[in-house]
Amino acid sequence: MPFPFILPTTSSFSFSSSFTCESHPSLTLNASTHRGVVRSSLKKHKRLPAASQGSNLPSILSDLNGYLPYLLAIDAGLGNKLVSGEELSVVLTSTPAIEWRPTLSDHAVPGKETARIKIQSLEYEIFFVLSAVGYAHTQLARSQLHPLYATSGAPPGAQARAAAITGATRHLLEAAAAHDYLARRTEGLAPPPCADVAQPTARALALLALAEATLLAVLKDDPYPAVVAQARNDDDREWMYRAPEIPKVRAHLFARLCVAAADHAAQAASLCQAQQAGARRLDAALPRYLEDLRRASRARACRFFGIDAELSGQTGAAIGWLRCGLRELGVETPRDGGGGARKGLSLSRMKKDWTERREDKKVERGTNWGADAGRLEETRVIEMLEAKWTKINDTMLTQSIPAPGTLIASLPSGRDMHTIKPYQPPELGRETLEAMRAPPDRSDDFGDEQASSDDDERTAAATPVGAFPGTHDQYARSISSPYEGGSGRNSYY
């Protein structure tokens, strides 16, 4: 369940107002044109309903990748660097003033949208665009994994499930490469204007994407989440004629992969926590998600060690490992000294059932699902196995259950499954550069557009319902008030 990022929005900007290129005069105009496309795409994506945003993500990613070569070419031209074997000569004529709306920074006013920040460096423009590329890849991974968690409709088959996990893993590794590139690129820069474009944030997001890709390698061969989801699916009829198949898994290997994912999440959480002491703080949702991911990963590792013990005939040790996992998740175990689940009604049980129903509704609507980093899903799996194995141990085997503290201390070190490959930034081709040696065929007026991504929304909200077009000014409140002797009615009347 990758983190539900929100794509940032930006103001209009004309590169010709701050940069000139003597070697390729049309470069600034082409960069402004592609930036205008990106701005319009992000603005449109923000207004789409949550159910329709997933299908719009490939278009967003295509527009961002189309704008990046021009942006990086201007940046390279400022340093007289070669682009596809050609030298660009870009001169800074005035300080650029670009506005972006951050999505990871802390809200100054709770419940209100974060205010836009003004950046005056091309480096942070590159940071925001590449961050949006990483967010889009993560959102594409979420959209591919969404059918695996849905509880309505026919459950996906084995091939569809493997294809979805493979595609999501590819997108997460692409996101990790983009964030890692930013973390390396921004070393030694001046203090950032917000936490979204800070170097520790980029490093934390790269580790987060790597941890999620590692967990997907485990999910690909982990049959238990699919069994739990199938049991909650009202449209499933397979249970009528056959039991779900649970093949043997490489439990020890999967446990070490989960420990590695927990380590990556812990490193990312420490990087985010270091920024919470300053003025440029992150929103609490990201650090909370990282902590939940660390807990869920360690609990999953404990579950696989329990599966390994149960396959060896050590049911008591297996139950002990499951209770270690429940402790990592922060779930109270009914009886630490014996098996059995607590029956009857209780406030905690009612709260748990309500939380599960709310998460199921989020999955069905496709809005902000998986914000707990898989803690609820792992809790369901562990409780299912704990109830099953405890019943067997109480009625047949009667093996002693070791204390969770003695087992958790024997967790081995993690093992990485993936490595972050170097990000290859796109470059302009030689033919494109040759075409831009010609003077521009029109003026660069992209900076004259509306500065905000939601100015249209404010204008629409300011017009009263049912008003004739062009007469909204006549519906303004009168200057006089009832307390100053005025009537207090609208000036229209």
Side-chain angles (χ1 to χ4, degrees):
M1 296 184 183
F3 183 74
F5 287 104
I6 300 175
L7 297 181
T9 53
T10 181
S11 64
S12 59
F13 176 69
S14 170
F15 281 94
S16 299
S17 63
S18 301
F19 303 94
T20 59
C21 184
E22 299 177 355
S23 58
H24 300 76
S26 298
L27 175 60
T28 54
L29 174 61
N30 284 302
S32 299
T33 302
H34 284 81
R35 192 184 189 280
V37 173
V38 168
R39 175 179 175 270
S40 300
S41 299
L42 293 175
K43 182 178 178 180
K44 175 185 175 183
H45 182 81
K46 180 181 178 181
R47 297 177 178 179
L48 289 175
S52 303
Q53 288 184 350
S55 59
N56 190 50
L57 288 170
S59 175
I60 293 286
L61 193 59
S62 176
D63 294 339
L64 290 170
N65 288 327
Y67 169 54
L68 263 176
Y70 295 92
L71 177 60
L72 294 175
I74 293 178
D75 181 69
L78 290 173
N80 294 324
K81 298 179 182 179
L82 296 178
V83 177
S84 297
E86 293 192 21
E87 183 177 354
L88 277 68
S89 177
V90 179
V91 179
L92 177 66
T93 58
S94 63
T95 303
I98 310 173
E99 292 184 354
W100 280 87
R101 191 181 300 278
T103 57
L104 296 179
S105 298
D106 190 20
H107 296 267
V109 180
K112 188 177 180 180
E113 193 174 26
T114 308
R116 297 188 307 272
I117 61 165
K118 183 177 292 186
I119 58 176
Q120 298 179 339
S121 172
L122 203 62
E123 195 66 37
Y124 290 124
E125 170 78 3
I126 297 173
F127 202 115
F128 268 110
V129 174
L130 275 173
S131 295
V133 171
Y135 300 163
H137 276 295
T138 305
Q139 289 285 54
L140 281 170
R142 281 177 57 85
S143 63
Q144 291 193 346
L145 293 174
H146 181 259
L148 306 184
Y149 298 95
T151 57
S152 62
Q159 293 183 353
R161 180 182 176 85
I165 294 175
T166 302
T169 303
R170 184 178 67 254
H171 284 298
L172 287 174
L173 292 178
E174 290 286 346
H179 292 305
D180 183 68
Y181 173 80
L182 285 176
R184 298 177 186 275
R185 183 185 176 97
T186 55
E187 290 181 355
L189 283 182
C194 66
D196 291 49
V197 292
Q199 194 264 350
T201 303
R203 177 65 62 188
L205 294 182
L207 290 170
L208 170 60
L210 182 60
E212 291 170 337
T214 304
L215 289 178
L216 286 186
V218 177
L219 179 63
K220 190 174 183 180
D221 296 326
D222 185 7
Y224 293 97
V227 170
V228 173
Q230 185 177 357
R232 292 172 22 246
N233 193 339
D234 296 334
D235 298 329
D236 178 60
R237 299 293 181 267
E238 190 175 322
W239 59 272
M240 294 182 177
Y241 54 90
R242 71 172 182 179
E245 298 179 359
I246 304 180
K248 293 184 178 181
V249 297
R250 296 166 291 177
H252 199 272
L253 173 62
F254 290 168
R256 293 189 62 186
L257 292 177
C258 293
V259 172
D263 293 341
H264 294 319
Q267 294 176 22
S270 64
L271 289 171
C272 293
Q273 192 64 32
Q275 301 184 75
Q276 300 302 90
R280 302 177 182 88
R281 296 183 298 176
L282 288 168
D283 186 63
L286 181 59
R288 182 171 60 247
Y289 179 88
L290 290 170
E291 177 62 21
D292 289 343
L293 183 63
R294 184 193 69 83
R295 287 176 172 270
S297 300
R298 288 180 63 88
R300 190 168 299 183
C302 293
R303 170 165 66 88
F304 280 114
F305 280 120
I307 293 173
D308 185 56
E310 197 272 338
L311 292 175
S312 303
Q314 303 174 8
T315 308
I319 297 172
W321 277 113
L322 293 181
R323 293 181 178 175
C324 287
L326 291 176
R327 285 196 174 186
E328 290 290 338
L329 293 170
V331 178
E332 296 180 359
T333 54
R335 296 183 222 162
D336 291 337
R342 182 183 299 162
K343 298 182 180 180
L345 296 176
S346 64
L347 184 61
S348 60
R349 188 179 185 86
M350 293 174 60
K351 181 180 179 181
K352 177 177 175 294
D353 293 341
W354 179 78
T355 303
E356 290 181 355
R357 288 196 300 269
R358 185 178 63 174
E359 182 65 23
D360 290 340
K361 290 181 180 179
K362 288 182 180 180
V363 173
E364 295 306 316
R365 292 194 300 261
T367 57
N368 201 31
W369 60 276
D372 62 345
R375 285 184 64 178
L376 179 59
E377 176 198 26
E378 190 60 33
T379 302
R380 287 168 170 168
V381 175
I382 292 180
E383 287 181 344
M384 178 195 72
L385 292 176
E386 199 263 348
K388 176 183 177 182
W389 294 346
T390 299
K391 184 176 181 180
I392 294 175
N393 190 56
D394 288 348
T395 56
M396 298 172 56
L397 302 177
T398 63
Q399 296 182 4
S400 61
I401 301 175
T406 60
L407 294 175
I408 204 69
S410 61
L411 272 177
S413 59
R415 176 180 175 180
D416 285 321
M417 179 72 178
H418 303 287
T419 57
I420 301 178
K421 296 181 179 179
Y423 177 75
Q424 299 295 332
E427 285 189 356
L428 292 175
R430 185 179 294 272
E431 295 181 357
T432 305
L433 289 173
E434 288 293 338
M436 288 189 296
R437 289 187 180 275
D441 55 354
R442 57 185 176 86
S443 61
D444 188 354
D445 55 355
F446 286 91
D448 299 333
E449 300 178 5
Q450 293 179 358
S452 174
S453 62
D454 52 354
D455 280 345
D456 294 341
E457 297 177 5
R458 287 203 205 100
T459 303
T463 303
V465 178
F468 192 79
T471 62
H472 63 276
D473 293 336
Q474 301 179 14
Y475 288 82
R477 287 287 182 181
S478 174
I479 298 177
S480 62
S481 66
Y483 305 99
E484 296 175 354
S487 62
R489 300 180 66 186
N490 292 345
S491 61
Y492 180 78
Y493 301 101

